[in-house]
Amino acid sequence: MNGFESSKKSDSDSNKDKCLSDDVIINLDRGDPTAFQEYWMKMTDRFTVVIPGWDLMSYFSDTKNVCWFLEPELEKAIKALHGTIGNAATEERYIVVGTGSSQLCQAALFALSSLSEVTPVSIVGAVPYYSTYVEEASYLESKLYKWEGDARTFDKKGPYIEMVTSPNNPDGTMREPVVHRREGGKVIHDFAYYWPHYTPITRRQDHDLMLFTFSKITGHAGSRIGWALVKDIEVAKKMVQYLTVNSIGVSKESQTRATTILNELTKTCRTQSESFFEYGYEKMKSRWERLREIVESGDAFTLPNYPQAFCNFFGKTISTSPAFAWLGLKEERDLGSLLKEKKVLTRGGDACGCDKKYVRVNMLSRDDDYDGFLHRLATIKDLKCIVP
Ligand code: PMP
């Protein structure tokens, strides 16, 4: 039992004590990761960062590094954390820091396509995909690349980039590339959720271009820190060029805060009473158990099932508790609209290239929002409650 057992209880207990009144809108559309705030509130002192007024004034961090705006201490902290968790190889790679991995995804699209002899490069992702990729690949109407939708049905000639998100946003499944044609193909591996509180760490990922984000490890989305692990120096240089034009680097205040927090995570991750990953795992597991209980006690909804697997980090077989629930309806109806009638906002399956009978539900909301969602879901868990 870890030191956060009591806060885990408070998650469910708050359901009984206080429930949001029925006219309050619960927004579970955005993936705002506020669920872990209670952990950080108990850890105040060690994670507090003070920055004097004279510090961190230059644009530059290390002019000898390809990524000249990456703070050397952050680079060390990132390598140490991956080494301890065992989720990704960092050797013989360039680390590119970004203002969130959203900026890095766009930098990677720019880098890979501007190095391609033929443009526009097709961008694809297997359905259901992370809806933001569509915006990232389409928003600027770039001549370098073009969003082409579902990777499974993609059969266009020419170069392509496949977005592989594993575990996947929105449905939590572990993913591999699906486009079989390899020539002219590049892959961006988005490992935003490949951390032990969400999914068993079964292997050390070792790919050409891997994206990670501080936002979804600890919940510090507001710091806007992400990083890319890049094998090819030319790709890394092009990404840095994009980030230079786009924002002349990345906030050093944010990098400093991320460094402090990541270092503490690494230091405490084997101490059961303090480990963020132990706490996060229990919290997510408890949320999923409560959601499944409601879904399984009715006949209206579906949820994916995830296999248990041996987690190299925890050293035991564990379950999967994704950051989003891919909730489906057994009837052919628009589930997003149905939940909206209950004042619960979710992301419709159509935004992810799928049917509207599915929605993506943020599993990382604050306790009272999550409890309120479960309470309202319980009132419509049976088909007789929703069939007109
Ligand atoms: N990739 C995936 C799969 C995500 O879900 C998110 C956040 N929703 C991001 C990237 C972007 O994260 P950030 O920009 O906060 O680092």
Side-chain angles (χ1 to χ4, degrees), residues 55-251:
D55 205 1
L56 310 180
M57 293 178 66
S58 168
Y59 283 119
F60 300 95
S61 296
D62 178 3
T63 49
K64 290 192 205 74
N65 195 332
V66 168
C67 187
W68 52 267
F69 46 82
L70 168 60
E71 286 288 300
E73 290 305 313
L74 178 59
E75 176 163 14
K76 278 189 224 153
I78 289 169
K79 287 182 176 170
L81 183 63
H82 282 304
T84 303
I85 303 298
N87 62 343
T90 55
E91 303 82 15
E92 290 164 32
R93 283 170 163 81
Y94 300 91
I95 297 186
V96 182
V97 66
T99 300
S101 71
S102 303
Q103 191 187 31
L104 288 165
C105 183
Q106 292 165 73
L109 294 182
F110 167 77
L112 295 174
S113 58
S114 61
L115 291 168
S116 168
E117 281 169 16
V118 180
T119 55
V121 175
S122 301
I123 316 292
V124 294
V127 161
Y129 42 69
Y130 172 38
S131 56
T132 303
Y133 295 147
V134 185
E135 292 157 35
E136 287 172 348
S138 317
Y139 189 65
L140 292 177
E141 298 180 16
S142 170
K143 289 185 184 144
L144 292 174
Y145 47 79
K146 187 169 186 294
W147 176 254
E148 292 286 355
D150 190 6
R152 287 203 184 83
T153 53
F154 174 67
D155 61 358
K156 223 173 159 176
K157 288 205 165 47
Y160 69 91
I161 299 169
E162 181 174 351
M163 299 299 310
V164 177
T165 318
S166 188
N168 191 35
N169 172 356
D171 68 357
T173 54
M174 294 306 288
R175 289 279 184 92
E176 300 284 342
V178 301
V179 180
H180 293 302
R181 172 167 62 88
R182 282 286 169 265
E183 75 283 2
K186 301 277 183 203
V187 178
I188 298 175
H189 281 91
D190 187 337
F191 288 125
Y193 305 98
Y194 191 53
W195 294 97
H197 44 327
Y198 300 124
T199 195
I201 303 301
T202 54
R203 67 174 157 134
R204 201 165 158 259
Q205 301 292 352
D206 184 2
H207 303 280
D208 289 352
L209 207 169
M210 304 188 278
L211 300 181
F212 288 89
T213 168
F214 187 40
S215 306
K216 302 302 172 113
I217 307 175
T218 61
H220 290 87
S223 291
R224 310 303 305 121
I225 291 290
W227 58 91
L229 304 178
V230 186
K231 262 195 191 156
D232 183 341
I233 188 167
E234 296 310 322
V235 175
K237 279 184 182 166
K238 279 279 176 195
M239 289 179 71
V240 168
Q241 189 184 70
Y242 177 95
L243 292 158
T244 305
V245 174
N246 193 251
S247 52
I248 324 184
V250 174
S251 159

Side-chain angles (χ1 to χ4, degrees), residues 305 317 338 344 378 383:
N305 284 314
T317 297
L338 192 75
V344 176
L383 280 172

Side-chain angles (χ1 to χ4, degrees), residues 334-351:
D334 177 346
L335 178 53
S337 302
L338 192 75
L339 290 170
K340 205 169 172 187
E341 284 169 27
K342 293 278 168 190
K343 294 196 162 48
V344 176
L345 308 184
T346 55
R347 189 155 306 177
D350 51 332

